[in-house]
Amino acid sequence: MANASGLFSPSMPTLRRIKIQPSVGVSRSGSSGSNKVVLGRILCGGTSEKHASGAVSSESRVPKVIGKGCKLIGCGSAIPTLQVSNDDLAKIVDTNDEWISVRTGIRNRHVLSGKDSLTGLAVEAARKALEMAQVDPEDLDLVLLCTSTPEDLFGSAPQIQKALGCKNNPLAYDITAACSGFVLGLVSAACHIRGGGFNNVLIVGADSLSRYVDWTDRGTCILFGDAAGAVVMQACGAEDDGLFAFDLHSDGDGQRHLNASVNENETDHALGTNGSVRDFPPKQSSYSCIQMNGKEVFRFAVRCVPQSIESSLEKAGLTGSSIDWLLLHQVQTRGSLML
């Protein structure tokens, strides 16, 4: 099970170099201090781990001495043209605008339709980020696509690279980590810059979860939609580094509360088995619709995210009073308020 949260500063103050102190929990961060655009220093925390008494946690793996830093210099986003309102959903399932908006704060969601594609959304968001960053696609060293819904089993990141016109064929690959995918993308990009000598990394977070929603299930169909967001991370001197700390975990036990598992379809009878090998050929498979125990996911979020934020602050040497923006990966306002 996974979730993510972020702490942002709307301005770019002069900050002292922070010594990262190891502590338990989950945290990560990124920042931008470019003269081209101010995105703000970022301290992020993401977790898919249990944070309670007896929970397993580990110390920060961020090196205490960093010779090369990284910063965010551009961002962009894209959404499908089709908008589905709560009133539209009320025609399909037993619900209404008030029931949805009071519990989630959601009134509309955007959904892929017609000839729209997830790759197209990702490319649109990427181009906006590159334009803001004033970085040419040919200068990219890496393209990361953080998604749980690629349009190719072998990954969609290379198609983004192709569409952008990256003639140098930079490395491009997908990261599948559900809700924590984008933050994991930030951390991965930082590691490539610090340890791999990369200079410009494009990170795209995009999903078309509407394709895996049971639109007759009131508990899930009201929550999910489709969109894409992108940022450009660039190498910088250690004094301008914006990734203060991170600590990442996974908890496979949460799979029972939130999943979209593989379903086996019936074998094509025309193909037959010839009686040679039992259970062969394998049955064709596809993914099920999203299955979610909303109450358990909610409990997980309100229990673990605050601890993740506190750990992030502690590792970065900051206090809660230092934070101006608290941006949470949370699909309902009720959960955000409780955090």
Side-chain angles (χ1 to χ4, degrees):
M1 200 155 65
N3 57 48
S5 63
L7 301 170
F8 291 72
S9 170
S11 61
M12 183 54 62
T14 301
L15 298 181
R16 62 181 175 81
R17 183 60 186 158
I18 297 175
K19 181 178 179 181
I20 299 170
Q21 300 291 344
S23 63
V24 298
V26 177
S27 65
R28 55 196 168 177
S29 63
S31 106
S32 65
S34 169
N35 291 328
K36 302 173 185 175
V37 59
V38 176
L39 294 179
R41 295 230 174 218
I42 305 170
L43 172 64
C44 299
T47 175
S48 53
E49 173 201 353
K50 295 178 180 176
H51 287 277
S53 57
V56 177
S57 58
S58 63
E59 296 185 349
S60 173
R61 295 174 178 83
V62 180
K64 289 187 172 65
V65 179
I66 302 174
K68 195 173 185 180
C70 54
K71 58 185 179 181
L72 300 182
I73 60 171
C75 65
S77 62
I79 55 176
T81 55
L82 177 61
Q83 182 172 283
V84 179
S85 69
N86 292 342
D87 290 331
D88 293 328
L89 289 182
K91 300 174 183 178
I92 303 174
V93 294
D94 181 18
T95 189
N96 57 68
D97 177 70
E98 181 181 4
W99 190 89
I100 298 173
S101 59
V102 168
R103 288 164 174 76
T104 69
I106 299 171
R107 292 190 179 277
N108 297 281
R109 72 278 301 142
H110 290 263
V111 175
L112 285 173
S113 64
K115 296 182 179 179
D116 291 342
S117 69
L118 183 66
T119 302
L121 282 183
V123 171
E124 181 182 347
R127 283 177 175 154
K128 291 177 180 178
L130 290 169
E131 181 180 359
M132 178 183 283
Q134 298 182 26
V135 171
D136 191 279
E138 293 188 18
D139 294 326
L140 288 175
D141 302 301
L142 174 64
V143 177
L144 299 175
L145 174 61
C146 309
T147 183
S148 293
T149 56
E151 293 177 323
D152 189 316
L153 181 63
F154 296 145
S156 295
Q159 295 306 307
I160 297 175
Q161 175 226 71
K162 176 184 177 182
L164 291 174
C166 302
K167 298 180 180 178
N168 296 325
N169 293 330
L171 175 64
Y173 63 89
D174 291 11
I175 294 176
T176 302
C179 302
S180 295
F182 187 74
V183 180
L184 185 57
L186 289 176
V187 174
S188 299
C191 291
H192 279 289
I193 289 174
R194 291 172 172 174
F198 291 19
N199 290 314
N200 295 303
V201 178
L202 172 66
I203 308 153
V204 182
D207 267 305
S208 54
L209 291 172
S210 67
R211 294 171 172 170
Y212 300 94
V213 166
D214 178 357
W215 292 100
T216 64
D217 177 12
R218 184 177 71 166
T220 57
C221 74
I222 65 173
L223 300 174
F224 297 103
D226 308 326
V231 296
V232 177
M233 182 178 284
Q234 189 174 75
C236 64
E239 66 279 3
D240 294 321
D241 182 48
L243 181 62
F244 298 154
F246 68 87
D247 187 33
L248 307 175
H249 299 268
S250 296
D251 177 16
D253 188 55
Q255 189 266 352
R256 59 199 171 105
H257 300 308
L258 180 59
N259 65 80
S261 303
V262 169
N263 283 337
E264 290 187 342
N265 301 326
E266 290 299 323
T267 305
D268 187 345
H269 295 293
L271 183 62
T273 64
N274 294 324
S276 57
V277 181
R278 185 177 181 181
D279 296 328
F280 182 84
K283 294 180 180 180
Q284 297 297 310
S285 62
S286 61
Y287 288 102
S288 69
C289 291
I290 296 171
Q291 306 294 317
M292 184 178 71
N293 183 330
K295 291 183 179 179
E296 288 300 325
V297 174
F298 181 84
R299 292 191 185 105
F300 175 84
V302 298
R303 182 180 71 249
C304 297
V305 172
Q307 295 175 350
S308 174
I309 294 172
E310 291 174 0
S311 295
S312 300
L313 290 169
E314 182 180 353
K315 290 182 180 183
L318 299 172
T319 62
S321 61
S322 306
I323 305 304
D324 298 302
W325 287 4
L326 181 59
L327 305 180
L328 300 170
H329 178 90
Q330 175 57 262
V331 297
Q332 51 180 298
T333 53
R334 181 177 56 166
S336 298
L337 292 173
M338 290 186 66
L339 293 174

